[in-house]
Structure formats: C-alpha cells, structure tokens
Amino acid sequence: MVLPAGDRPGADVTQALGALWDYRVYARRWVFLLVLSLLSFSNATLWLSFAPVADMIAHHFLLSTEQINWLSRVYLVASIPSGVVAIWVLDSVGLRWATIVCAWLNFAGSVFRTLPFMVGGIQDPFAFLMGGQSLCALAQSLVVFSPAKLAALWFPEHQRATANMIGTMSNPLGILVANLLSPALVKKEEDIPMMLGIYIIPAGITCLLATACLLESVPPTPPSARAIHSTSEKFLDGLKLLLCNRAYVVLAVCFGGGIGIFSSFSALLEQVLCVRGYSNEFIGLCGALFIVFGVLGALVLSLYVDRTKLFTEAVKIGFCLTSVVCVAFALVSQLQGQTLALAAICSLLGLFGFAVAPIAMELAVECSFPVGEGYTVGHLHVLSCVQS
C-alpha cells in the first residue's frame, strides 16, 4: 500500500491505522539480509584488494603509484554519477532486481581483472584492471544504499537499526579481510594471479545466491507502519525536500566528510605508513584493528540505540570522538617506531567512527521523512564521494 504524497496520514492517524493493520515479519528477511551482506562484503574486498600490496602490484605491472591509487579511487569517482542513477533504480526497479544486477556486475568485474593472466599477449594490463574495478564500482552505489531500504521494508521497528548495522558493517568487514588476506597471499609477485582468483570466489557465490534465493522486493504484508510509506518522491521533489531540511543537510555534510576520511584512510594507509618504515604486515594489522573495533562498536551501539532511540546523542558523541582520534593519527603517523600508539589509534578510530555509520544512516532516514530511504541514503553516499 503506497499513498500519494498529499494523502499520507500524520503520526496520530498512522498509529490508529497500525492497530487495524496486520503487521507481520517473515523469516526470509534474514536470507535477503545475508545475500546483501555477502554482496557488500565481496564488493569491499575487491575495492581494496590491491591497496595492501600496492608496491608489488606496481612493480609487477610496471605501474606508477598514482595508477595503483586509481584502482581504488575509481570507486569514489564512479559513485558520483552512478549514485544518482542508483537512487532511481532502487525505488523504480525494486530491491530484488537491483541486488541481482549488482551481484552480476560485481562478479563480472572480479573476473575481468584476471584476464591479463588468463589471456596471453595483453599489452596494457592496467586497462583490464581498471575495467574490472569500474564494473565493481558501478555495483557499489546500490550495495551501499540498500541496507536502509531493506531494513525499512522487511524489518520491524525494533530491529531496523540492527539490520542496518549488519548490512552496513559487512562492507568494512570486507575491507578487514582485504587488509589481512592480500598481504598473506602475495609474498612474491608470482602470487598475484592466485590472489585475484581467490577474490572471485565470494563474488561468484553471492551472484548465485542473489539469482536463486531472492524472489520478491517487498514482503506480502508490511512489518511496521513506517514500511507502508517506504517510497520516494519524484527525484527533483525529493532533492528539494532534502535541501530544505536543515537537520539532514548538517548530518549529510558531517557524515559525508567522515566517510570520505575513512575511504581515504583505507585506500592510502599502506602508502602513508610504508614510507615511515612500517611493514605491510603491520599496516594490514592496523587496518584489521580499525575494522574489528568498528564492527564491535557498531554492534553494541546499534543494539543500544534500538532500545533507547537516542539516535541524535549517539551520532553527536561519535562524531566528536572521531575528530579527536583523526587528529591523533595525523600526528603519530609522521613518526617512526610508534607501533603500539598507531595500533591503539587505529582501533579507536574504528570504534568511534565506524560505530556511528549505521546509526547516522538511520537518523538520516528518520529526519528526512517522507523522502524515501533510497533517496536519503543515496544522497549521503554521493556527497561522501564528492568530499573524498
């Protein structure tokens, strides 16, 4: 049931209708969340698979550091135009088909990257590496937008923040695996083809699950009153509402800046610390600590906010603490031999920064109603890419 923009009931009427509406949740919502989480995980591993071993990749393919950086940066650049398209696709085509298309793009990109090793006589391997990364980048926008939409459509009110957290934190979990797995796999340049082949496996499994297991975009009956109105205004009308919403604009600027910092941190950590004499293994450990503490913090904070509904307070405190830790990292990363300090700072940066990400997205959805979740989270992501 989707009501026209001018006929949507107010809060009191919505509560009254809730008593009459047969709200119901379905167990298959967890299957959808699993597929979406695996897709986000796989996409993140492909994004940063080159960054932890950038020096070996550059030497093997005779590439410059700037070219290696573009293998990660293409995600941010491609997400700006593709993000605008993804906003429309998510609400027009539906969550099911959007997820399936993303899964196939992600799988195709992972395979395309291996062609320089599978096909002999290729003169410009960088074109294939960049082409594969670009296909994966096109999938990223829909992957990032989808958790908030899925939580609103399929999950009851008391599980929305937790569902959003699981879908959102799958992305940094993929970054964690890439930071640990790439240095572990690539001990010498001859190991690079094996690394690329291993990253195809989760992409292929996710593609198969998305195609075979996702049968519908929305449940037969809504899980909550909010799910009844989970739709979007026309693009320009929705954009106007968001730009006129002061709370959303402030949150978008702060959240976008934070995501930009974390994206740059994940992609460039090896290059920042390598010049100070730190090993690839230690840099991978710092990236892992960054993600592990972020996931743990997000889990605890999401469960807490689901119970207390203190969205605004959690976001404000998280942003303030993250800013302090960012300054500490900027100073300590310029010094040599500070392994314990750097490990602690990376842990705290993940704990305070990543923990607030799913809460900030839920808060954005709440403060921007009646604009749909796809539009709301989509514009957050596009703005974060611009600030990166």
Side-chain angles (χ1 to χ4, degrees):
M1 174 180 178
V2 178
L3 299 179
D7 298 328
R8 287 176 184 150
D12 295 337
V13 179
T14 302
Q15 292 176 0
L17 288 175
L20 302 176
W21 196 279
D22 182 22
Y23 298 137
R24 180 184 172 188
V25 294
Y26 297 84
R28 59 184 178 273
R29 71 189 186 278
W30 297 107
V31 176
F32 211 137
L33 181 60
L34 173 64
V35 172
L36 193 60
S37 298
L38 288 175
L39 178 56
S40 182
F41 168 85
S42 172
N43 189 260
T45 61
L46 294 169
W47 172 36
L48 285 183
S49 54
F50 296 117
V53 288
D55 50 348
M56 290 190 184
I57 298 292
H59 186 268
H60 181 76
F61 290 109
L62 303 178
L63 303 176
S64 66
T65 302
E66 183 66 17
Q67 286 176 302
I68 296 298
N69 289 342
W70 270 106
L71 294 177
S72 302
R73 194 181 300 158
V74 66
Y75 268 65
L76 306 176
V77 175
S79 292
I80 298 173
S82 67
V84 177
V85 176
I87 294 171
W88 174 83
V89 169
L90 194 60
D91 285 303
S92 301
V93 177
L95 192 57
R96 174 188 176 236
W97 281 109
T99 304
I100 292 174
V101 170
C102 280
W104 278 98
L105 281 173
N106 193 62
F107 176 63
S110 68
V111 173
F112 200 75
R113 304 188 317 166
T114 66
L115 290 182
F117 299 99
M118 298 171 60
V119 180
I122 292 179
Q123 300 298 321
D124 187 10
F126 179 72
F128 287 86
L129 297 178
M130 179 63 75
Q133 290 294 93
S134 299
L135 289 174
C136 297
L138 293 176
Q140 186 199 37
S141 296
L142 281 167
V143 169
V144 173
F145 298 174
S146 298
K149 185 76 172 178
L150 177 66
L153 287 174
W154 284 86
F155 286 83
E157 296 288 344
H158 67 281
Q159 292 181 346
R160 279 178 55 188
T162 302
N164 200 356
M165 180 275 299
I166 294 173
T168 302
M169 287 299 103
S170 299
N171 194 269
L173 187 61
I175 298 174
L176 162 65
V177 171
N179 274 301
L180 293 177
L181 190 59
S182 290
L185 292 175
V186 183
K187 299 297 185 182
K188 54 186 183 298
E189 294 181 22
E190 290 75 15
D191 297 331
I192 294 175
M194 177 184 65
M195 179 195 76
L196 295 177
I198 287 177
Y199 283 124
I200 293 177
I201 297 173
I205 293 174
T206 304
C207 186
L208 178 63
L209 290 176
T211 305
C213 298
L214 302 186
L215 304 178
E216 53 195 350
S217 294
V218 296
T221 57
S224 66
R226 180 70 174 85
I228 302 174
H229 313 299
S230 183
T231 184
S232 289
E233 307 288 334
K234 292 182 179 179
F235 183 85
L236 293 179
D237 293 338
L239 181 60
K240 182 178 179 181
L241 287 173
L242 292 179
L243 292 177
C244 294
N245 188 328
R246 181 176 176 272
Y248 177 82
V249 171
V250 172
L251 179 61
V253 172
C254 295
F255 180 79
I259 294 297
I261 290 173
F262 294 143
S263 298
S264 301
F265 177 89
S266 300
L268 302 176
L269 182 62
E270 192 264 354
Q271 296 174 48
V272 171
L273 297 183
C274 187
V275 295
R276 302 298 174 186
Y278 297 100
S279 66
N280 282 349
E281 288 74 16
F282 173 73
I283 297 169
L285 175 62
C286 287
L289 291 172
F290 174 61
I291 304 303
V292 168
F293 278 84
V295 172
L296 291 176
L299 175 62
V300 173
L301 189 59
S302 295
L303 293 174
Y304 174 76
V305 170
D306 261 338
R307 293 171 62 91
T308 64
K309 304 303 179 184
L310 297 176
F311 288 92
T312 305
E313 292 80 0
V315 168
K316 288 181 178 179
I317 294 173
F319 281 157
C320 291
L321 293 175
T322 301
S323 300
V324 173
V325 180
C326 282
V327 173
F329 176 80
L331 297 174
V332 177
S333 63
Q334 303 304 308
L335 306 175
Q336 295 180 341
Q338 302 297 318
T339 53
L340 290 179
L342 279 172
I345 289 173
C346 289
S347 301
L348 292 175
L349 187 59
L351 180 65
F352 299 140
F354 265 124
V356 80
I359 309 303
M361 284 194 282
E362 274 296 311
L363 181 60
V365 170
E366 292 295 331
C367 75
S368 61
F369 184 80
V371 180
E373 298 83 6
Y375 273 45
T376 300
V377 179
H379 286 295
L380 279 181
H381 179 65
V382 171
L383 184 58
S384 72
C385 294
V386 172
Q387 294 187 62
S388 299

